[in-house]
Amino acid sequence: MRRRNASRTSGGSGARVRYAIEAGPTRDASLTDTNLLLKALYFAADKHRDQRRKGAGAIPYINHPIAVAHMLSDVGGITDATTLAAAILHDTVEDTDATPEELERQFGAGVAGIVAEVTDDPTLTRAARKQAQIDHAPRLSKPAMLVKLADKVCNVTDILERPPDWPQWRKDEYVRWAREVVEALRGTNSALESKFDEVADWRE
Ligand code: ZN
């Protein structure tokens, strides 16, 4: 494991501390759960720094992956730090310049593998990507199923609480599709599945 100390760029009042976050090819035992989660938050916040959510209020994008990780912990009862870190990072490869190699180098193969499983294939059309999520859901690893499930709970909650500027049919279509993905994930975590049903049923 390479460990570098925090370095300070020289300069006047504009100087800022930038912490190096290199972890090596596999998760090192010295990278504690807390350290892993804070590092994932730091990394994801930096990668998503210029992005906003589509919904009302255009909240900072990073609120979403934090909500997904919190949903896993708070509702799903998940305590595994690898799964929670992957939840924090789940949209970085799909929506930012982060690469699978970068995630593996920074967070290890376990976290990077989960993120890869929940990342859509960019070469597919939008419709094919949506169908692929339904088709692949039953074959995902358990941690990837959990992240996918919490992601759908949070997205449908957002459509309800912070509706994007979409026509009604598009919102309905999203919820119907999310329900199909969740149906393919049944048996993964009953608390998260019940939470999804509660939100989606209220929506429809
Ligand atoms: Zn997401």
Side-chain angles (χ1 to χ4, degrees):
M1 173 182 174
R2 282 169 291 163
R3 185 185 285 278
R4 286 184 285 172
N5 293 326
S7 60
R8 184 184 290 275
T9 56
S10 58
S13 58
R16 66 187 187 121
V17 176
R18 189 166 178 90
Y19 296 95
I21 46 175
E22 296 280 326
T26 54
R27 188 177 163 194
D28 192 289
S30 66
L31 189 61
T32 65
D33 287 356
T34 305
N35 191 207
L36 175 69
L37 293 174
L38 291 173
K39 181 172 158 175
L41 284 168
Y42 177 83
F43 182 94
D46 187 46
K47 291 293 185 185
H48 290 297
R49 66 186 179 276
D50 295 325
Q51 298 171 336
R52 298 260 161 182
R53 291 284 281 171
K54 289 192 193 94
I59 61 170
Y61 197 91
I62 189 63
N63 290 31
H64 165 66
I66 292 173
V68 172
H70 183 244
M71 180 69 66
L72 279 171
S73 167
D74 197 48
V75 175
I78 303 305
T79 55
D80 174 53
T82 300
T83 305
L84 296 172
I88 293 167
L89 298 163
H90 80 275
D91 279 332
T92 56
V93 174
E94 201 167 294
D95 294 336
T96 80
D97 65 2
T99 64
E101 296 73 28
E102 189 177 12
L103 287 193
E104 184 164 345
R105 198 171 61 245
Q106 298 279 0
F107 301 97
V111 171
I114 299 166
V115 175
E117 283 189 273
V118 300
T119 298
D120 286 343
D121 179 349
T123 64
L124 299 177
T125 63
R126 185 167 167 270
R129 283 200 300 267
K130 292 199 154 230
Q131 187 58 44
Q133 284 205 30
I134 298 167
D135 296 342
H136 296 161
R139 297 199 291 276
L140 297 175
S141 67
K142 179 81 186 271
M145 285 181 167
L146 287 165
V147 173
K148 181 122 293 202
L149 195 50
D151 187 36
K152 293 294 175 278
V153 177
C154 290
N155 283 339
V156 171
T157 301
D158 275 357
I159 284 184
L160 188 70
E161 293 181 351
R162 285 179 282 272
D165 186 19
W166 292 351
Q168 191 59 41
W169 66 264
R170 190 168 169 200
K171 290 186 255 188
D172 292 342
E173 185 185 73
Y174 185 91
V175 175
R176 266 200 305 277
W177 166 72
R179 200 188 280 281
E180 282 193 74
V181 177
V182 169
E183 285 310 317
L185 295 167
R186 290 276 171 201
T188 303
N189 182 288
S190 59
L192 288 170
E193 289 156 35
S194 298
K195 185 72 181 171
F196 179 86
D197 293 340
E198 189 187 304
V199 179
D201 290 350
W202 202 87
R203 173 74 190 77
E204 286 187 336

